[in-house]
Amino acid sequence: MPELPEAETIAKGLARVLPGRRVARVRVLKHDVVEGPAARFARGLSDQEIAAVERRGKNVVVRLAGGDRIVVNLGMTGRLLPAPTPSPPPGAHHAAVHWTFQDDSSLTFDDVRRFGRVQLLGPDAWRSWSRRLGPEPLSSAFTGARLRRILDGSRSPIRSLLLDQRKVAGVGNIYAVEALWGARVHPARPANGLTDPECRALHRTLRRVLRRAIAARGTTLRDYRTAEGEAGGFAPALHAYGREGQRCRRCRASIERMRLSGRSAFFCPRCQPAPEAAAS
DNA sequence: CATACGTCCTGCCAGC
DNA sequence: TGCTGGCAGGACGTAT
């Protein structure tokens, strides 16, 4: 499931091929994937040139020379597939949006489960959209003190807070779980109950795991692929996520799984003591 | 405002 | 072998 490192890897890959291309035609094949009327979306992109490909949180942002932006939320299974040909690549079995460019190349947004969303935003709409997201965890603005203030505002389980894009942008279940394992903090701990040392540790481990995952080009569990169609390399480096019943790599205890707000959370019961034990 | 929970969607896989 | 029910989960809408 694409989170910040996966979106970053895809954006970097697309940034090598898309800038300079000019839109020839847009086909919306799955209307529920595009925000607003498909006709307006297609019209707004007509003859537009791509200036850059960037990232905000988990979103891939295609910036156009005219100042508008295509914001792509990949959801669970969304993939952006560039091709040197006008037709979608062979692997695109669930094409939702298809762009062809004036040089006869193309880009396909393919999404099996259709949790993904694509929208076209003008400069003002972009600013207000972006403002709704929390800070970028790898930016210099995201300090330990900033995280402390975010945690202090919530009694929610720390894992739930880390998934809230309004609080911190780009963190999903995999990296939230990994950062908490690194910081030795149980996923169900109330956010505002973390001690200052725990908060500092979480700040450090969150940034570290995101940076390392970017260096490995993301985590492929099943669907995620880079813009070049390759699997990410971070899966073998996971310490807790998906490792229920396996040994903790730090203390050899058996990794456990719990459900928290309907989502799986993985943790080491020895390294990450449960809230009751930690509170005493 | 903060928090909790249901909903969307389909491929996969364990279990019978 | 073939079927089925549960599961995966990011973001949003609604309820409390």
Side-chain angles (χ1 to χ4, degrees):
Chain A
M1 55 239 55
E3 305 180 23
L4 187 155
E6 290 75 31
E8 176 79 15
T9 301
I10 291 166
K12 276 184 194 156
L14 294 176
R16 285 206 296 269
V17 296
L18 294 187
R21 292 188 187 177
R22 192 175 285 273
V23 174
R25 185 173 177 218
V26 182
R27 276 183 298 161
V28 177
L29 306 162
K30 304 282 168 61
H31 284 242
D32 56 345
V33 165
V34 170
E35 200 74 40
R40 186 168 61 86
F41 178 79
R43 203 181 325 119
L45 286 167
S46 172
D47 207 38
Q48 290 289 310
E49 182 188 334
I50 294 176
V53 186
E54 298 159 347
R55 177 193 61 76
R56 175 78 172 102
K58 302 173 184 175
N59 304 272
V60 175
V61 180
V62 179
R63 191 157 53 79
L64 303 170
D68 292 353
R69 287 171 173 83
I70 307 169
V71 175
V72 180
N73 186 302
L74 298 160
M76 290 281 297
T77 53
R79 298 184 299 161
L80 283 166
L81 308 170
T85 59
S87 49
H93 302 298
H94 303 275
V97 182
H98 184 70
W99 294 262
T100 49
F101 302 102
Q102 294 180 6
D103 65 355
D104 272 344
S105 64
S106 70
L107 176 69
T108 305
F109 179 63
D110 183 271
D111 188 6
V112 176
R113 285 183 214 172
R114 303 220 300 279
F115 274 24
R117 288 293 175 269
V118 179
Q119 53 187 327
L120 179 63
L121 300 177
D124 290 343
W126 157 258
R127 272 190 293 275
S128 62
W129 177 87
S130 183
R131 260 199 304 269
R132 299 208 318 262
L133 295 180
E136 287 291 330
L138 293 180
S139 73
S140 55
F142 187 71
T143 61
R146 181 84 183 267
L147 179 61
R148 178 77 262 175
R149 285 197 298 275
I150 293 168
L151 299 191
D152 283 340
S154 174
R155 288 184 303 276
S156 290
I158 181 65
R159 204 286 308 263
S160 304
L161 179 132
L162 289 173
L163 297 186
D164 187 339
Q165 301 300 294
R166 295 168 301 184
K167 303 296 198 306
V168 183
V171 182
N173 203 22
I174 293 176
Y175 301 110
V177 160
E178 290 300 303
L180 289 168
W181 179 88
R184 304 179 190 240
V185 172
H186 190 280
R189 294 271 303 282
N192 62 4
L194 266 64
T195 65
D196 283 342
E198 286 172 334
C199 180
R200 283 193 293 273
L202 180 59
H203 178 256
R204 189 166 54 241
T205 58
L206 179 60
R207 287 164 60 100
R208 187 170 56 201
V209 72
L210 292 173
R211 278 195 303 264
R212 288 181 179 175
I214 289 171
R217 318 194 74 214
T219 302
T220 295
L221 298 177
R222 182 173 299 168
D223 300 288
Y224 161 72
R225 291 292 182 278
T226 69
E228 293 79 24
E230 293 161 359
F234 198 68
L238 297 176
H239 290 108
Y241 187 89
R243 298 192 70 241
E244 182 183 17
Q246 298 177 49
R247 299 264 162 234
C248 172
R249 293 188 165 142
R250 212 163 30 205
C251 78
R252 314 299 298 163
S254 182
I255 297 289
E256 292 181 9
R257 170 160 75 140
M258 69 181 298
R259 293 204 59 100
L260 206 51
S261 315
R263 305 280 180 265
S264 286
F266 301 87
F267 63 100
C268 169
R270 191 179 294 164
C271 296
Q272 299 165 267
E276 298 76 29
S280 63

